[in-house]
Amino acid sequence: MPRTTIRLAVRGLLLIEDRLLLVNAYAGDRSDLLCAPGGGVEPHSSLADNLVREFHEETGLTVSVGAPCLVNEFHEPSRALHQVDIYFRVALVAGDPQAPWQDPEGIVNRRVLASREEMTRLRYKPDALPEVAWGSGTLYDPLERLVR
């Protein structure tokens, strides 16, 4: 098995009028899987600064970063992939989630504002997302297999 390096990423949970902001997890239309906005951490920048940057790239929105609320791990052994995501509660500072925008990396092409009830009809990861978004406290969501 190839050597696996653990990738660290940050993601933000933004509730707008009791609806969670989600984005497509994979470029284009190859999957309907949704996730919270965020991405890989760059060295020598705080987790909060990384999240503000990634959130803006993927949504066009500016957020302030609050408390961490979830640590999630996923992996795909055949690809030597193991990622740890740290989720934070975020608040909207500027921008309109309905306004047009373009992800500079070309990955995110759709945003979804979903109620907790609507989440039951959507595909998303991690599994604990609704519990965390509409709950309180901090959770650990153990290692899951990567899905497409």
Side-chain angles (χ1 to χ4, degrees):
M1 180 185 305
R3 180 171 165 77
T4 300
T5 300
I6 296 176
R7 180 178 188 256
L8 180 62
V10 288
R11 298 197 176 276
L13 299 182
L14 176 61
L15 287 171
I16 299 173
E17 297 178 3
D18 207 34
R19 299 169 88 77
L20 180 63
L21 180 65
L22 302 167
V23 297
N24 56 291
Y26 294 100
D29 293 322
R30 66 181 173 158
S31 174
D32 63 348
L33 187 69
L34 298 169
C35 64
V41 169
E42 293 180 359
H44 312 293
S45 183
S46 71
L47 295 177
D49 288 345
N50 275 284
L51 181 53
V52 168
R53 182 196 74 249
E54 285 288 340
F55 208 97
H56 189 266
E57 285 176 7
E58 292 192 355
T59 67
L61 304 174
T62 302
V63 295
S64 62
V65 178
C69 54
L70 173 65
V71 175
N72 170 252
E73 296 181 84
F74 64 90
H75 73 132
E76 180 52 64
S78 68
R79 292 181 37 210
L81 171 71
H82 184 153
Q83 182 163 312
V84 176
D85 286 344
I86 302 174
Y87 286 71
F88 293 83
R89 297 188 189 287
V90 299
L92 183 62
V93 172
D96 178 356
Q98 304 300 332
W101 100 108
Q102 186 171 358
D103 175 2
E105 293 184 7
I107 295 170
V108 174
N109 61 13
R110 61 192 175 280
R111 297 175 287 192
V112 174
L113 281 168
S115 69
R116 189 165 192 171
E117 192 275 324
E118 289 167 334
M119 295 281 294
T120 63
R121 297 186 298 276
L122 298 173
R123 288 186 64 235
Y124 58 84
K125 280 294 183 182
D127 295 339
L129 204 50
E131 179 182 357
V132 174
W134 282 278
S136 60
T138 305
L139 291 178
Y140 169 62
D141 192 14
L143 197 61
E144 297 181 32
R145 292 291 295 250
L146 180 70
V147 297
R148 295 228 180 244

